[in-house]
Amino acid sequence: MPEVSTEYKNLMGKTLVALLSGPDQEGIVARVAGWIYEHGGNIIHADQHWDQEAGVFFQRIEWSVRSDTWADEAAFADHARSLGMTVRVEEMSTRSRVAVMVSKFDHCFHDLALRSKAGEFPAEFVAIVSNHPDLQKAAEGYGLPYHLVPALKGKKAEAEQQQLDLYRSLKVDLVVLARYMQVLSEDFLDRIGCPVINIHHSFLPAFAGGRPYHQAYDRGVKLIGATAHYATPVLDDGPIIVQDVARVTHRHNVNDLIRKGRDLEKTVLAQAVRFHLEHRILVYNNKTVVFD
Amino acid sequence: MPEVSTEYKNLMGKTLVALLSGPDQEGIVARVAGWIYEHGGNIIHADQHWDQEAGVFFQRIEWSVRSDTWADEAAFADHARSLGMTVRVEEMSTRSRVAVMVSKFDHCFHDLALRSKAGEFPAEFVAIVSNHPDLQKAAEGYGLPYHLVPALKGKKAEAEQQQLDLYRSLKVDLVVLARYMQVLSEDFLDRIGCPVINIHHSFLPAFAGGRPYHQAYDRGVKLIGATAHYATPVLDDGPIIVQDVARVTHRHNVNDLIRKGRDLEKTVLAQAVRFHLEHRILVYNNKTVVFD
Amino acid sequence: MPEVSTEYKNLMGKTLVALLSGPDQEGIVARVAGWIYEHGGNIIHADQHWDQEAGVFFQRIEWSVRSDTWADEAAFADHARSLGMTVRVEEMSTRSRVAVMVSKFDHCFHDLALRSKAGEFPAEFVAIVSNHPDLQKAAEGYGLPYHLVPALKGKKAEAEQQQLDLYRSLKVDLVVLARYMQVLSEDFLDRIGCPVINIHHSFLPAFAGGRPYHQAYDRGVKLIGATAHYATPVLDDGPIIVQDVARVTHRHNVNDLIRKGRDLEKTVLAQAVRFHLEHRILVYNNKTVVFD
Amino acid sequence: MPEVSTEYKNLMGKTLVALLSGPDQEGIVARVAGWIYEHGGNIIHADQHWDQEAGVFFQRIEWSVRSDTWADEAAFADHARSLGMTVRVEEMSTRSRVAVMVSKFDHCFHDLALRSKAGEFPAEFVAIVSNHPDLQKAAEGYGLPYHLVPALKGKKAEAEQQQLDLYRSLKVDLVVLARYMQVLSEDFLDRIGCPVINIHHSFLPAFAGGRPYHQAYDRGVKLIGATAHYATPVLDDGPIIVQDVARVTHRHNVNDLIRKGRDLEKTVLAQAVRFHLEHRILVYNNKTVVFD
């Protein structure tokens, strides 16, 4: 991502990013770029994708605007819609509000928290939600508000409602499942109103479901994997964002796979979260276009 | 693999390699190494593996022998068996006899043939068998005997019998399926009497069966893979020898996956064949121990 | 790369690709896309890069044109130049004319020849040039014209002149050094008038110069590499196009590194050649922008 | 590494590991394994390496002993020495004492601290030493003793003496330079009396010295790397333990390289530290044998 100096930013007013998709048509690139140019915007990054098979056009476009000549984001969105596009416009300096859900495995939680502190994400972590009290102190050490929502037998609906209320009150833009070990109900996912990113500890679609490292060990694979994807009602079946693998041999037992896998899970989840927060991802046909 | 100078080899008589496996027991390493030492053998490579969970011991051991003091391979094998081991002993200078089965996709065939010419395999390619005439000229260009065995509807049993007869008459030690597009029957695999290595163009167990690149494209994975495995009656389910992956993005269509996959298939299959021919692989529980 | 059906191509007349670079300026994307759109072109792929530090804009843009409304390539180039851009326009269906130079190591030669036969390159291999007779028969087997230009002591200038004359008479667009073991003179590179791609068998800038695998072995590195780059008068110092690495351990001796390295060299060189032939590479500041 | 249950450990008394190296000789494997067997030891892991060129034998051997029959470690070491070997014997349950030196970049520090808490290292972190106060609070949050030793101009000798005194008083077995930004003097390295592992943020030998990401950016490489090595008086020239790389493109500026590099540095350093602490590394000829 091109870095823009603060001075330049101030001069320019602000930087916007739009994600567009819609039926391919002649002149679409020119008509989007032309409108921005005519309204005093200066494009600083643009990436397109044409899915020839599906006949769909995708674009991520980033531009700076001078406060004196720029109309507004709504006007741009209207223009894009008049071209038949679905569109989302964001201001780059707006920091998303993120909730992280975690159970007892804490490696992804620590990794995300440290990256957040290091400034890797344009986001605020506004809530850590867990069904266990174990990470409360660690969360507070990072200055992150911690919410215990126990997963009691027969009380799933109440717990999910409590979570939904929390996310709504905190105006959460993204929920990250950082090895959260409870299955979220279809109802929860329907009602949450923001994307949910999950990390699954296998190379999907291999070894969906529980205990994937055990499954991988039993099958005798020579590579283990991790997959970050958007959560959908079908378990481990949502649009894949990032995947990576690590080499294993007959010498690695299940505990070794778990240990090696932790490193994969951390980097894969962090990269997916960063791509999402930088507005680089479009979803269609249960797949992702990732403009990296 | 340690290289031994020709001069040294002559002095020593010959170099042997043994693959052992059996129930773990105290002193097994000492009792194997001790026997070799007492009989004038000099170990030049040894690798062991203990599967703690299964309680099984595996060893690959390579040693040179002086012709004057060495008993014989049979005596060593008897000793290993007296320790409860399953054992196979090979002379390193013996070149295995390999048959390659191929259909129309020719990249793995060319790759194996060129590597064979370059001396990468301690083996003779004694037969190229195909259900199509397309590669006859290319095979002959490499100096490799080509056998056309058409896959005629309703004549599968006859074709397989013809292949079995050929392999028996040629004393074939290994059959390599280099993108051979016919499913081999359980009966064929039962009767062939030598290992069969297949290359599957996916990261197994994901996308077993037909058209794996299309399956991968439809699922929207971010990595494609290839898997070399020993063929068993259950399709794409045999012990995995080598796997590798390559990164893909939304920009790659199915043809791109196929093109990128060819490179994976070539290197994965070649590596598996080399490991096998160098007597580096032990199979158990539908998995492999690969002493690389 | 989006695939366009033959039918569609005929309807459209032809597909063009342009590589532009020049000082960054407001509205550059809109002004390029707008011109194409106004002249009846339909953009089917576009990729841009802004080097913020150097203040330079780079673009690769691919578009189809209807024969009835399209001006011509020269008119587009004039427009681009009027915007201060350096520009090159190519018709996608034009096949480049490639000469491959090779000595005795033949793995890259075979790899390129087989990929060419498989249709991986939009190019004709119009000459195989070697300082050794060894590969004459193989070249002819592929149907490729072979030219022996011996590297005689004290006759380097004459040999290079002979090569230059050949390339000029064949209208060669690209020379590929496929493990060609002679150093080309600065004079040769000045006069050749087309790009030269070399494969160096190390991860440059580590181990430039001779015997890089021996250098790597002596240093005890844990990864070996290969680098495809444009040849410049400074040995192994030109703009890097593609690099890749493979893992090695203390068990690998120099011969193992050489063997493993061959696979790296093949894929790295082939990928660089393909990127070049698909007009995906811009060079500046001794670096490359590769629009893949 | 094979896991041994606590119960089994108690029965067996203890588990030992030895690292041997010396001139290759006939029967060395048998004579080492035989001695252990005769003295009631049960080998649970053994790995050997013969450097044919140098004529040197290397071995890592791990065995459990029954307290009633086992002589002692010293007797084994004597036996190994009588065979001409250099030998080191360790008890597996002994936890090494590690000091971590860090400056302001904190990613490796946090990574090591969290892995230590997660039980990935058989070691105690007995001191965090820094020339800056920035990480004091974080260290204390992990329960790790923090020592500020400022790097004052003209006071390097005093600071190094203070560090040496500290390490001696704490009986430190290993010093880890986790992005410690001061060059250690030859005198310090001569006197420290324990190994020092450093992480260098490039693929050595490329880009030794300062600002390697800037060097890599300027050269236009397509992969960046990280190297963990034992520190020697020659800067960035010691025996390499682990290396890894990540892919970069023209789109990545120096800040992106730094960000991507952090992940490499963390995993490469952690793996090297773990290999060292598990007694898997032998050094010779400025190279390492890593029995992984």
Side-chain angles (χ1 to χ4, degrees):
Chain A
M1 189 182 44
E3 304 254 327
V4 180
S5 72
T6 314
E7 197 182 355
Y8 184 71
K9 265 184 187 162
N10 291 342
L11 183 73
M12 285 290 116
K14 57 185 172 186
T15 301
L16 300 170
V17 59
L19 289 169
L20 301 93
S21 62
D24 194 12
Q25 57 194 279
E26 287 205 16
I28 180 72
V29 169
R31 283 194 261 181
V32 170
W35 195 94
I36 290 172
Y37 180 47
E38 286 157 25
H39 291 76
N42 187 36
I43 297 172
I44 50 179
H45 202 86
D47 207 349
Q48 295 81 222
H49 175 59
W50 283 261
D51 186 320
Q52 304 276 326
E53 201 183 309
V56 183
F57 170 78
F58 303 89
Q59 187 174 42
R60 179 185 188 273
I61 190 159
E62 208 178 308
W63 70 98
S64 57
V65 293
R66 272 194 296 263
S67 35
D68 51 345
T69 60
W70 179 249
D72 57 28
E73 286 82 300
F76 173 81
D78 285 346
H79 173 68
R81 279 184 211 107
S82 76
L83 299 169
M85 295 288 128
T86 299
V87 63
R88 196 157 61 86
V89 193
E90 305 280 351
E91 199 175 325
M92 285 292 278
S93 62
T94 307
R95 295 168 70 78
S96 298
R97 299 173 64 78
V98 176
V100 177
M101 300 183 76
V102 62
S103 293
K104 287 192 170 182
F105 295 116
D106 60 357
H107 50 286
C108 285
F109 159 73
H110 283 296
D111 186 69
L112 291 171
L114 285 167
R115 287 178 196 271
S116 180
K117 282 186 73 172
E120 287 192 21
F121 303 128
E124 301 294 335
F125 283 20
V126 296
I128 309 299
V129 172
S130 179
N131 54 329
H132 292 289
D134 306 49
L135 293 174
Q136 173 150 15
K137 217 181 141 187
E140 289 166 2
Y142 291 119
L144 300 175
Y146 180 91
H147 301 265
L148 176 64
V149 183
L152 303 174
K153 225 172 177 172
K155 302 276 187 188
K156 191 186 185 92
E158 286 88 332
E160 289 195 346
Q161 186 58 53
Q162 191 180 341
Q163 291 160 0
L164 288 172
D165 292 344
L166 178 68
Y167 300 152
R168 223 157 276 163
S169 73
L170 290 172
K171 297 188 192 335
V172 162
D173 300 305
L174 174 71
V175 171
V176 178
L177 306 180
R179 299 295 310 276
Y180 184 65
M181 304 303 278
Q182 300 293 313
V183 176
L184 298 173
S185 73
E186 183 165 350
D187 177 64
F188 178 91
L189 290 168
D190 279 349
R191 292 166 61 207
I192 190 161
C194 75
V196 176
I197 294 178
N198 183 42
I199 179 74
H200 184 75
H201 36 313
S202 83
F203 180 81
L204 289 176
F207 310 130
R211 293 165 64 90
Y213 292 128
H214 291 78
Q215 292 184 55
Y217 178 79
D218 289 344
R219 180 61 186 91
V221 291
K222 300 300 186 182
L223 297 167
I224 54 165
T227 303
H229 64 95
Y230 289 111
T232 59
V234 184
L235 191 68
D236 302 330
D237 187 55
I240 293 170
I241 307 169
V242 178
Q243 297 189 293
D244 203 0
V245 295
R247 203 159 285 283
V248 295
T249 76
H250 59 273
R251 299 206 182 283
H252 296 94
N253 60 27
V254 171
N255 286 336
D256 294 322
L257 302 198
I258 291 170
R259 176 179 50 74
K260 284 177 83 86
R262 284 200 296 257
D263 283 345
L264 281 178
E265 294 164 35
K266 288 187 291 188
T267 52
V268 165
L269 179 58
Q271 194 167 42
V273 168
R274 200 166 62 83
F275 284 154
H276 179 89
L277 293 172
E278 293 178 357
H279 311 299
R280 298 182 174 280
I281 312 177
L282 281 156
V283 173
Y284 81 115
N285 285 356
N286 206 38
K287 299 203 241 186
T288 60
V289 170
V290 180
F291 289 120
D292 63 345
Chain B
M1 186 180 53
E3 306 252 327
V4 180
S5 74
T6 314
E7 196 181 357
Y8 184 71
K9 264 183 188 165
N10 291 343
L11 183 74
M12 285 291 117
K14 58 185 171 185
T15 301
L16 299 170
V17 59
L19 288 170
L20 301 93
S21 62
D24 193 13
Q25 56 193 278
E26 289 206 11
I28 180 72
V29 169
R31 282 193 261 182
V32 170
W35 195 93
I36 291 172
Y37 180 49
E38 285 158 27
H39 292 77
N42 187 35
I43 297 170
I44 51 178
H45 202 85
D47 206 350
Q48 296 81 222
H49 174 60
W50 284 261
D51 186 320
Q52 304 275 327
E53 200 183 310
V56 183
F57 170 78
F58 303 89
Q59 186 174 44
R60 180 184 186 274
I61 190 161
E62 209 179 306
W63 69 99
S64 57
V65 292
R66 272 193 297 262
S67 36
D68 52 345
T69 59
W70 178 250
D72 57 28
E73 286 81 300
F76 173 80
D78 285 346
H79 173 67
R81 278 183 212 109
S82 77
L83 299 169
M85 296 288 129
T86 301
V87 63
R88 195 158 61 87
V89 192
E90 305 281 351
E91 200 175 325
M92 286 290 279
S93 62
T94 306
R95 294 168 71 78
S96 298
R97 300 172 64 79
V98 176
V100 176
M101 301 183 75
V102 63
S103 293
K104 289 191 167 183
F105 294 117
D106 60 358
H107 51 284
C108 285
F109 159 73
H110 283 297
D111 186 70
L112 291 171
L114 286 167
R115 288 179 196 271
S116 180
K117 281 185 73 171
E120 286 191 22
F121 302 127
E124 300 293 335
F125 282 20
V126 296
I128 308 299
V129 173
S130 181
N131 53 330
H132 293 290
D134 306 49
L135 292 173
Q136 173 150 16
K137 218 182 140 183
E140 288 165 5
Y142 292 119
L144 300 175
Y146 180 90
H147 301 265
L148 177 64
V149 184
L152 303 174
K153 224 169 175 175
K155 301 279 189 186
K156 190 185 186 95
E158 287 88 332
E160 289 195 345
Q161 186 59 52
Q162 193 180 337
Q163 291 160 0
L164 288 172
D165 291 345
L166 178 68
Y167 300 153
R168 224 158 275 163
S169 74
L170 291 171
K171 297 190 192 336
V172 161
D173 300 306
L174 173 71
V175 172
V176 179
L177 306 180
R179 296 295 310 274
Y180 184 65
M181 303 302 280
Q182 300 292 314
V183 176
L184 299 172
S185 74
E186 181 163 352
D187 177 65
F188 178 92
L189 290 168
D190 278 350
R191 292 166 60 208
I192 190 162
C194 75
V196 177
I197 294 178
N198 183 44
I199 179 74
H200 184 74
H201 37 313
S202 83
F203 179 82
L204 288 175
F207 311 129
R211 296 165 62 87
Y213 292 127
H214 291 77
Q215 292 184 55
Y217 179 78
D218 289 344
R219 180 62 185 90
V221 291
K222 300 299 186 184
L223 297 168
I224 55 166
T227 303
H229 64 95
Y230 288 112
T232 58
V234 183
L235 191 68
D236 302 328
D237 187 57
I240 293 170
I241 307 169
V242 178
Q243 298 188 293
D244 203 0
V245 295
R247 204 159 287 281
V248 295
T249 75
H250 59 273
R251 300 208 180 280
H252 296 93
N253 61 26
V254 171
N255 287 336
D256 294 321
L257 302 198
I258 290 170
R259 176 179 51 74
K260 283 178 83 88
R262 284 200 296 259
D263 282 346
L264 281 179
E265 294 165 34
K266 287 188 292 190
T267 51
V268 165
L269 178 58
Q271 194 168 41
V273 168
R274 199 166 63 83
F275 284 153
H276 178 89
L277 293 172
E278 293 177 358
H279 312 298
R280 298 182 175 282
I281 310 177
L282 281 156
V283 174
Y284 81 115
N285 283 358
N286 206 39
K287 300 204 240 184
T288 60
V289 170
V290 180
F291 288 120
D292 62 347
Chain C
M1 187 181 50
E3 306 252 327
V4 180
S5 75
T6 312
E7 196 182 354
Y8 182 71
K9 264 183 188 162
N10 291 342
L11 182 74
M12 285 290 115
K14 57 185 172 186
T15 301
L16 300 170
V17 60
L19 290 169
L20 300 93
S21 61
D24 193 12
Q25 56 193 279
E26 290 204 13
I28 181 73
V29 169
R31 284 194 261 180
V32 170
W35 195 94
I36 291 172
Y37 181 48
E38 285 157 25
H39 291 77
N42 187 36
I43 296 172
I44 51 178
H45 202 85
D47 207 349
Q48 296 81 223
H49 174 60
W50 284 261
D51 185 320
Q52 304 276 329
E53 200 183 311
V56 183
F57 170 77
F58 303 88
Q59 188 175 41
R60 180 185 187 275
I61 190 160
E62 211 179 306
W63 70 99
S64 57
V65 293
R66 275 193 295 262
S67 35
D68 51 347
T69 58
W70 178 248
D72 57 28
E73 287 82 300
F76 174 79
D78 284 345
H79 173 68
R81 280 186 209 106
S82 76
L83 299 169
M85 296 286 128
T86 299
V87 62
R88 198 157 60 86
V89 191
E90 306 279 351
E91 200 175 324
M92 284 292 278
S93 63
T94 306
R95 292 168 71 78
S96 298
R97 299 173 64 79
V98 177
V100 176
M101 301 182 75
V102 63
S103 293
K104 288 191 167 181
F105 295 116
D106 61 357
H107 50 285
C108 285
F109 159 73
H110 284 296
D111 186 69
L112 291 172
L114 286 166
R115 288 178 196 270
S116 179
K117 283 186 74 170
E120 286 192 22
F121 303 127
E124 300 294 334
F125 283 19
V126 296
I128 308 299
V129 174
S130 180
N131 54 328
H132 292 289
D134 307 47
L135 293 174
Q136 174 150 15
K137 219 181 141 185
E140 289 166 3
Y142 291 120
L144 300 176
Y146 179 89
H147 301 266
L148 176 65
V149 183
L152 303 174
K153 224 173 179 172
K155 302 277 187 188
K156 188 184 188 99
E158 286 89 332
E160 290 196 344
Q161 186 58 53
Q162 193 181 337
Q163 291 160 0
L164 288 173
D165 292 345
L166 179 68
Y167 300 154
R168 225 157 273 163
S169 73
L170 291 171
K171 296 191 193 339
V172 162
D173 300 306
L174 173 69
V175 171
V176 178
L177 306 181
R179 295 297 309 274
Y180 183 65
M181 304 302 278
Q182 301 291 313
V183 176
L184 299 173
S185 74
E186 182 165 350
D187 177 65
F188 178 92
L189 291 168
D190 279 350
R191 292 166 60 206
I192 191 163
C194 76
V196 177
I197 293 178
N198 183 44
I199 179 74
H200 184 74
H201 36 312
S202 83
F203 180 80
L204 287 176
F207 311 130
R211 295 164 64 86
Y213 292 127
H214 291 77
Q215 291 183 55
Y217 178 78
D218 289 344
R219 179 61 186 92
V221 290
K222 299 300 186 185
L223 297 167
I224 55 166
T227 303
H229 64 96
Y230 289 112
T232 57
V234 183
L235 191 69
D236 301 331
D237 187 55
I240 293 169
I241 306 167
V242 178
Q243 299 189 291
D244 203 0
V245 295
R247 205 159 286 281
V248 295
T249 75
H250 60 272
R251 299 205 183 282
H252 295 94
N253 61 27
V254 171
N255 287 335
D256 294 321
L257 302 198
I258 291 171
R259 176 179 51 73
K260 283 178 83 85
R262 284 200 295 259
D263 282 346
L264 281 179
E265 294 164 36
K266 288 188 290 190
T267 51
V268 165
L269 179 59
Q271 194 169 41
V273 168
R274 200 165 63 82
F275 284 153
H276 179 89
L277 293 171
E278 292 178 359
H279 312 297
R280 298 183 176 279
I281 311 179
L282 280 156
V283 173
Y284 81 116
N285 284 355
N286 205 39
K287 301 202 238 183
T288 61
V289 170
V290 179
F291 288 120
D292 62 345
Chain D
M1 185 179 52
E3 305 252 329
V4 180
S5 73
T6 312
E7 194 182 0
Y8 184 71
K9 266 184 189 159
N10 291 342
L11 183 74
M12 284 292 118
K14 58 185 171 184
T15 302
L16 299 170
V17 59
L19 290 168
L20 301 92
S21 62
D24 192 14
Q25 57 194 276
E26 289 204 13
I28 180 72
V29 169
R31 284 194 261 180
V32 170
W35 195 94
I36 290 172
Y37 181 48
E38 286 158 25
H39 291 77
N42 187 35
I43 297 172
I44 50 177
H45 202 84
D47 206 349
Q48 297 81 224
H49 175 59
W50 285 261
D51 185 321
Q52 303 277 326
E53 201 184 308
V56 183
F57 170 78
F58 303 89
Q59 188 174 43
R60 180 184 187 275
I61 191 160
E62 209 179 306
W63 71 98
S64 57
V65 292
R66 274 193 295 263
S67 36
D68 51 344
T69 59
W70 179 249
D72 58 31
E73 286 82 299
F76 174 79
D78 285 346
H79 173 67
R81 278 186 210 107
S82 77
L83 299 169
M85 295 287 129
T86 300
V87 63
R88 195 156 62 85
V89 192
E90 306 279 352
E91 200 174 325
M92 285 291 278
S93 62
T94 306
R95 294 168 70 78
S96 298
R97 300 171 64 79
V98 177
V100 176
M101 300 181 76
V102 62
S103 294
K104 287 190 169 184
F105 295 117
D106 60 358
H107 51 285
C108 285
F109 159 74
H110 284 296
D111 186 70
L112 291 172
L114 285 166
R115 287 178 196 272
S116 180
K117 281 186 74 171
E120 287 192 21
F121 303 127
E124 299 293 336
F125 283 19
V126 295
I128 309 299
V129 173
S130 179
N131 54 329
H132 292 290
D134 306 48
L135 293 173
Q136 174 150 14
K137 219 181 139 186
E140 289 166 4
Y142 292 120
L144 301 175
Y146 180 89
H147 301 264
L148 176 65
V149 183
L152 303 174
K153 223 171 177 171
K155 301 279 187 186
K156 191 186 185 93
E158 286 88 332
E160 290 195 345
Q161 186 58 53
Q162 193 181 340
Q163 290 159 0
L164 288 173
D165 291 345
L166 178 68
Y167 300 152
R168 223 158 275 161
S169 73
L170 290 171
K171 295 191 193 339
V172 162
D173 299 306
L174 173 70
V175 171
V176 178
L177 306 180
R179 296 298 308 277
Y180 183 64
M181 303 303 278
Q182 301 292 313
V183 175
L184 299 173
S185 74
E186 182 164 352
D187 177 66
F188 179 92
L189 291 167
D190 278 351
R191 292 165 60 206
I192 191 163
C194 76
V196 176
I197 294 179
N198 183 43
I199 180 73
H200 184 74
H201 36 313
S202 84
F203 180 79
L204 287 176
F207 311 128
R211 294 164 63 87
Y213 292 128
H214 291 77
Q215 292 184 54
Y217 178 78
D218 290 342
R219 180 62 186 92
V221 291
K222 300 300 186 183
L223 297 168
I224 54 166
T227 303
H229 64 94
Y230 288 113
T232 58
V234 184
L235 191 68
D236 300 330
D237 187 57
I240 293 170
I241 306 168
V242 177
Q243 297 189 293
D244 203 359
V245 296
R247 205 159 285 280
V248 294
T249 75
H250 60 271
R251 299 205 183 283
H252 295 93
N253 60 27
V254 171
N255 286 337
D256 294 322
L257 303 198
I258 290 170
R259 175 180 50 75
K260 283 177 83 86
R262 283 200 295 259
D263 282 346
L264 282 179
E265 295 164 36
K266 287 188 292 190
T267 51
V268 165
L269 178 58
Q271 194 169 41
V273 167
R274 198 166 63 84
F275 284 154
H276 179 89
L277 293 171
E278 292 177 359
H279 312 297
R280 298 183 176 278
I281 311 178
L282 280 155
V283 174
Y284 82 115
N285 285 356
N286 205 39
K287 300 203 240 184
T288 60
V289 170
V290 179
F291 289 119
D292 63 347

